[in-house]
Amino acid sequence: MGRDVPALVFTREDRRRYRTKMQECLEVFAQMLRESRFESERPQVGLEIELNLVDDRAEPAMRNSDVLDAIADPAWSTELGRFNLEINVPPRRLTQGGPDAWESEIRAALNHAEERARSVGTHLIMIGILPTLRQADVGESALSENARYRLLNDQVFAARGEDLHIELDGVDRLRTYADTITPEAACTSTQFHLQVSPDEFAAYWNAAQAIAGVQVALAANSPFLFGKELWHETRIPLFEQATDTRPQEIKVQGVRPRVWFGERWITSVFDLFEENLRYFPALLPLCDEQDPRATLAGGEVPELPELTLHNGTVYRWNRPVYAVADDRPHVRVENRCLPAGPTVADTLANGAFYYGLTRALVEEERPVWSRMSFRAAEDNLHTAARHGIESRLYWPGTGEVPVPELVLRRLLPLAHLGLERSGMDAAWREPLLGVIEQRCVTARNGAVWQKETFHRITAAGTGRHEALRRMTQQYIDYMHLNAPAHTWPVD
């Protein structure tokens, strides 16, 4: 959502005014698109990483306010749960600073934060879902202190009118209800940002949608929830269910979910913002004093706060972002489908694959989205979340093929090509995309390591939660070594 909000009760008048302001913002946004007012000459990439907090026993630590105070860096912020934090890594040009610059910057920031977290008895872990998290840990008391989260929680349940139903079948079976949205806090992700020109936005968004399933299969890192072994990337279905404002009767009427893959390829960034207003009622109808029309007419850049706040409550796996930086507006694709972790090395390999592959697909003479149904891309995402790197996914020209074969034969060469066109030479590309290659060769990623390690520990007679705790402690040790997860031994 991106900003703090006050605790209050919304009236019908608030909602009417907000709807009017959102429409004004959308019209101003359309005018800005027509007049080509956007920054596109120096495109940048960005990165956000959500993390969990644990104590010395690798159990969840509800201490994010204390840790934030200890870190004392504006790049860090709270997330939904008191056991979550997020770092917003400063944006940069993709090839800025040389091969090791971004990794060094990220590792330095995380190491500093870990040092400060230890001073208050906690530790950071990059993982899609914290394996030691129990259902009792995600009650109302786990909501972060920021009023925006409680307000969002209240609005979701006001829209639903009943408790959330969470239902998942994997190796184990999970059936439960929740009376807050805090189960969503179990989902911690990596978010890659890619600034593009408005003219290119649709192509890059379509490309990102087309490869979302492949991304999730390669990087799955969330096989456990509330002590149950479920999907390889359980974070995907959990997020879809834990933020669902629709009771069952509304679902069967075909109302769109707020965690949404979408339903069509697009032709403009405008399509997505227009869909937001057309399909989704406001959860947080907070009006800003800025008049977007008057601001634009006066030669200044409007922030479009109502449009952006509403956009922040529609949880697309690839989200459009409008923002103003240094008095210049820009648009970017926010890629949200990947879990956090396991290491910085894995994270940057995932980023290299994403940035390189999307560019190559965008520049193909016959785009992949012209040869692939939107439904096939969505099916790929859920198949990949369920089966991870063991998935068989559809790709045009090949049919359904195992993920490692698809990546090694078709997609990895394209990722190399895209990065080369972005100015990244082979000596730089090879170590990054080599991680992706070896994941495919070994068929191993974070989810596979977690599952194998858990079963090895339980085979010795250790109880389920204790096995998850020991596995999580080992995970943290390997995470700090920064060796990619496919190299981690199962001791």
Side-chain angles (χ1 to χ4, degrees):
M1 288 163 38
R3 73 184 200 214
D4 294 344
V5 298
L8 45 77
V9 175
F10 297 117
T11 66
R12 292 193 299 272
E13 174 65 13
D14 291 329
R15 295 185 180 280
R16 185 195 64 77
R17 289 182 60 242
Y18 192 75
R19 185 184 297 276
T20 300
K21 283 295 295 288
M22 283 198 297
Q23 186 61 45
E24 290 174 355
C25 286
L26 186 65
E27 291 169 1
V28 168
F29 182 63
Q31 180 180 344
M32 294 172 69
L33 289 172
R34 290 193 301 270
E35 296 174 355
S36 302
R37 293 178 177 248
F38 289 83
E39 169 68 72
S40 59
E41 295 177 1
R42 298 177 296 277
Q44 296 183 316
V45 298
L47 172 64
E48 298 173 77
I49 304 173
E50 298 169 352
L51 302 100
N52 287 280
L53 292 172
V54 295
D55 61 18
D56 290 337
R57 288 179 48 80
E59 303 280 6
M62 307 293 174
R63 302 283 304 279
N64 64 359
S65 293
D66 296 333
V67 175
L68 273 182
D69 289 342
I71 296 174
D73 184 336
W76 291 83
S77 60
T78 58
E79 266 295 321
L80 179 64
R82 294 177 62 202
F83 55 95
N84 301 144
L85 284 180
E86 179 180 83
I87 181 173
N88 193 329
V89 180
R92 63 193 295 120
R93 300 292 295 273
L94 181 61
T95 56
Q96 178 182 327
D100 301 320
W102 213 18
E103 180 173 356
S104 298
E105 178 183 342
I106 296 167
R107 291 191 68 188
L110 293 176
N111 288 339
H112 170 73
E114 168 66 16
E115 179 185 343
R116 301 309 303 147
R118 287 178 184 172
S119 71
V120 294
T122 64
H123 306 276
L124 301 175
I125 174 173
M126 293 193 302
I127 195 166
I129 294 176
L130 181 62
T132 55
L133 193 71
R134 306 178 201 240
Q135 191 167 353
D137 295 320
V138 293
E140 186 174 356
S141 62
L143 277 173
S144 285
E145 296 173 6
N146 192 310
R148 77 185 191 200
Y149 299 119
R150 187 163 301 279
L151 187 57
L152 181 64
N153 179 78
D154 293 345
Q155 294 301 304
V156 167
F157 280 90
R160 279 188 63 84
E162 62 188 45
D163 288 351
L164 290 163
H165 184 209
I166 297 173
E167 181 175 351
L168 284 166
D169 288 318
V171 176
D172 299 320
R173 185 180 186 188
L174 177 66
R175 299 286 187 279
T176 190
Y177 288 88
D179 58 4
T180 72
I181 61 171
T182 43
E184 179 197 332
C187 307
T188 41
S189 66
T190 298
Q191 296 152 28
F192 291 111
H193 290 253
L194 177 60
Q195 180 186 333
V196 296
S197 72
D199 290 343
E200 293 181 311
F201 183 95
Y204 273 96
W205 188 85
N206 289 341
Q209 292 284 95
I211 67 169
V214 178
Q215 286 183 278
V216 167
L218 288 172
N221 196 33
S222 314
F224 296 99
L225 173 65
F226 301 153
K228 306 282 190 179
E229 185 178 354
L230 299 167
W231 294 17
H232 282 238
E233 189 49 37
T234 303
R235 196 183 111 266
I236 297 290
L238 175 60
F239 194 54
E240 291 175 340
Q241 295 181 34
T243 320
D244 198 340
T245 58
R246 306 167 303 162
Q248 188 62 35
E249 298 82 0
I250 298 299
K251 288 183 185 179
V252 298
Q253 293 176 36
V255 173
R256 280 87 172 171
R258 293 194 90 97
V259 178
W260 199 34
F261 187 78
E263 59 191 17
R264 63 189 176 105
W265 307 116
I266 65 169
T267 58
S268 168
V269 62
F270 183 84
D271 295 349
L272 301 179
F273 286 105
E274 193 271 338
E275 284 180 351
N276 288 353
L277 271 65
R278 182 149 44 102
Y279 295 146
F280 301 103
L283 285 181
L284 301 171
L286 293 160
C287 288
D288 192 270
E289 293 181 0
Q290 186 183 77
D291 181 333
R293 289 196 181 103
T295 301
L296 187 64
E300 297 181 1
V301 179
E303 297 283 348
L304 307 183
E306 291 82 13
L307 191 78
T308 58
L309 178 59
H310 187 56
N311 185 53
T313 63
V314 179
Y315 305 98
R316 299 176 186 270
W317 295 114
N318 285 290
R319 177 189 277 167
V321 176
Y322 167 86
V324 180
D326 299 323
D327 297 320
R328 295 293 302 276
H330 68 265
V331 292
R332 59 183 189 264
V333 180
E334 180 187 12
N335 179 248
R336 301 164 46 83
C337 60
L338 292 185
T343 65
V344 174
D346 285 297
T347 299
L348 291 182
N350 294 337
F353 182 74
Y354 168 71
Y355 292 129
L357 182 55
T358 51
R359 173 156 184 172
L361 292 176
V362 164
E363 295 179 356
E364 281 191 317
E365 185 173 345
R366 190 181 174 199
V368 65
W369 53 93
S370 70
R371 298 176 282 130
M372 180 181 191
S373 73
F374 197 85
R375 179 62 183 269
E378 183 176 15
D379 288 346
N380 276 353
L381 175 67
H382 289 98
T383 298
R386 183 181 286 274
H387 300 294
I389 204 164
E390 300 166 5
S391 302
R392 295 176 62 90
L393 301 182
Y394 172 80
W395 195 258
T398 65
E400 287 193 357
V401 292
V403 166
E405 179 182 339
L406 173 62
V407 173
L408 291 173
R409 292 189 176 184
R410 298 289 297 273
L411 303 186
L412 204 56
L414 288 174
H416 273 284
L417 177 62
L419 291 180
E420 182 180 13
R421 290 174 176 173
S422 299
M424 194 177 289
D425 62 29
W428 189 343
R429 297 191 314 266
E430 290 291 349
L432 289 167
L433 294 181
V435 172
I436 304 298
E437 179 183 15
Q438 288 305 306
R439 270 191 223 157
C440 293
V441 169
T442 61
R444 299 184 61 77
N445 57 17
V448 171
W449 182 89
Q450 288 187 53
K451 289 159 71 75
E452 290 183 357
T453 302
F454 168 75
H455 287 294
R456 178 190 60 79
I457 297 172
T458 56
T462 305
R464 194 175 188 89
H465 185 79
E466 177 62 15
L468 289 169
R469 191 189 67 78
R470 292 185 190 179
M471 181 268 286
T472 304
Q473 286 186 313
Q474 290 183 29
Y475 180 106
I476 293 171
D477 290 340
Y478 290 133
M479 179 189 76
H480 285 301
L481 293 176
N482 199 38
H486 70 267
T487 67
W488 293 5
V490 180
D491 299 325

